[in-house]
Amino acid sequence: MREQVLSAARRARAAAAQLAVTTREHKDAALRTMAEALRGRVDEVLAANEADLAAGRAAGLSEALLDRLALTAKRIDGIADGLLTVAGLADPVGEVLRGGILPNGLELRQVRVPLGVVGIVYEARPNVTVDAAGLTLKAGNAVLLRGSSSAERSNAALVTVLREALETSGLPADAVQLLPCHDRASVQHLITARGLVDLVIPRGGAGLISAVVEQATVPTVETGVGNCHVYVDAAADLDVAERIVVNAKARRPSVCNAAETLLVHADVAAAFVPRVIRALADAGVTVHADARFARLAATAGVEPGAVVPAGPQDWDTEYLSLDIAAGVVDSLDDAVRHIAEHGSGHTEAIVTRDVASARQFTGRVDAAAVMVNASTAFTDGGEFGMGAEIGISTQKLHARGPMGLPELTSSKWVVWGEGHVRPGA
């Protein structure tokens, strides 16, 4: 297994060397060819995906994981559109970050360059296969994809289409490679392939991410765990707050930008809690409530089971399902303290008409994205205008928040002289 992974990494390194000097025109043409190929082979991909879904149901996968795994013709069309969007974005490679002419006449420039070989370790989300391939290609990188066994057939079908499209475009097929997924050793060999792999990005649950980050000797970017909060302030417009809470939780609960905790200021709790409970119940959401929230929720007249008691673990849970923790807080300070203790650094939101409260919240909350009067669902590379994203970084070095093309590059200093030599000491 070790040699199989390292051999793939060597081939990827050779492909990356070619991609590093490939023109934007050539890369964009390849992305368009990849999108066209996906649309032309939808039935083939869907058949593979249905086999994965059937196996997943038989294995007892949760509804959240099955939703992440599922492809439809519409989703594949959206994935292909993502490739076209990436093709239309500016190429970061070669961008001058800073520089100028030094007093001694040397011309100095810091320019963006590809990272080289990027490894992606991810769970049952076959859309990541295409998103990662498209973004890494546009940024001039080769990618090694290590998906989960639950998406084995889907990922294999997608990578076959993408590799054939690359060859049709005159680019190396080894720019996109799928690593074995049945042996966990393949992950270990990938994340310790220093000198062959330049960056590893884990995408999935907390266990996967922490295992990769803690065991890797290759640089990593920590992504994805989303214990996201919506705080309804004393000065909130309650109509706006209701729309935001329901959207943030119920739009697509299985994704990392879904809200997992609702905090309501005590001054508006009596008015807001009963109405939001009814709205959440109508959306099929179960509320895990603290005692104060539960007492107010009892006046809403919802079906038994729509509200259950919250335990200590609920405040730290990324449900990825139609569940949300909810509590009443006495102040913005209390909300900020709660988020500091339980948040994952992904996305936090405040609903308020008070500018001072909004500024306090955005300044004090430590997260990759902070929303004011907007749903947490907007933390997404596509929504931020980046095209398909490679992941959402919750760390602070190299990249933070949705990772688009610039985050898949490094830089180098290019210095031009005319026979310049540095004087001796």
Side-chain angles (χ1 to χ4, degrees), residues 61-295:
L61 285 186
S62 69
E63 287 302 316
L65 284 177
L66 288 171
D67 178 61
R68 289 187 172 202
L69 175 59
L71 292 174
T72 63
K74 183 177 180 181
R75 285 187 180 182
I76 293 173
D77 193 56
I79 291 168
D81 279 342
L83 290 173
L84 297 179
T85 298
V86 172
L89 296 173
D91 190 340
V93 177
E95 177 188 357
V96 177
L97 301 175
R98 54 179 168 165
I101 300 177
L102 300 179
N104 63 6
L106 285 175
E107 294 185 9
L108 181 68
R109 300 286 187 276
Q110 184 187 20
V111 299
R112 288 196 187 278
V113 296
L115 287 166
V117 177
V118 178
I120 313 289
V121 182
Y122 56 109
E123 293 176 339
R125 293 187 67 175
N127 65 294
V128 174
T129 301
V130 181
D131 291 349
L135 282 165
T136 51
L137 174 68
K138 180 66 178 253
N141 303 300
V143 67
L144 296 171
L145 300 162
R146 203 293 189 175
S148 65
S149 58
S150 58
E152 178 184 14
R153 301 166 188 83
S154 305
N155 289 337
L158 290 167
V159 168
T160 295
V161 173
L162 298 177
R163 285 173 60 88
E164 291 177 5
L166 284 170
E167 288 185 324
T168 299
S169 303
L171 291 178
D174 285 334
V176 179
Q177 295 182 69
L178 187 63
L179 297 180
C181 61
H182 284 285
D183 190 336
R184 292 185 179 180
S186 63
V187 175
Q188 191 65 26
H189 297 317
L190 172 66
I191 67 178
T192 55
R194 287 179 64 86
L196 291 175
V197 177
D198 297 287
L199 180 71
V200 171
I201 303 172
R203 290 191 57 172
L208 168 69
I209 293 169
S210 62
V212 170
V213 170
E214 291 168 8
Q215 298 173 27
T217 58
V218 170
T220 62
V221 171
E222 190 167 349
T223 68
V225 176
N227 187 11
C228 305
H229 297 69
V230 177
Y231 164 58
V232 179
D233 187 49
D237 179 319
L238 299 189
D239 290 332
V240 170
E242 181 181 322
R243 289 200 304 272
I244 287 174
V245 170
V246 174
N247 180 263
K249 175 69 265 182
R251 173 190 167 270
R252 195 175 177 195
S254 65
V255 294
C256 61
N257 59 23
E260 305 291 16
T261 300
L262 167 63
L263 301 174
V264 180
H265 194 288
D267 288 356
V268 294
F272 184 66
V273 169
R275 65 183 292 178
V276 79
I277 282 291
R278 287 190 288 267
L280 288 169
D282 288 344
V285 177
T286 299
V287 177
H288 301 246
D290 72 3
R292 296 168 74 185
F293 198 102
R295 280 196 297 272

Side-chain angles (χ1 to χ4, degrees), residues 344-419:
S344 60
H346 192 294
T347 302
E348 310 296 354
I350 181 173
V351 185
T352 187
R353 290 173 292 191
D354 187 292
V355 173
S357 293
R359 292 195 187 282
Q360 279 285 314
F361 191 85
T362 59
R364 294 170 60 192
V365 166
D366 186 12
V370 184
M371 305 290 178
V372 178
N373 297 323
S375 171
T376 59
F378 284 106
T379 304
D380 174 87
E383 294 296 324
F384 282 15
M386 300 175 180
E389 68 186 28
I390 200 74
I392 297 175
S393 171
T394 55
Q395 65 180 36
K396 296 185 181 181
L397 296 179
H398 172 65
R400 198 178 194 196
M403 294 177 61
L405 292 171
E407 288 73 31
L408 287 170
T409 63
S410 181
S411 67
K412 70 168 61 169
W413 291 93
V414 179
V415 183
W416 284 72
E418 295 179 352

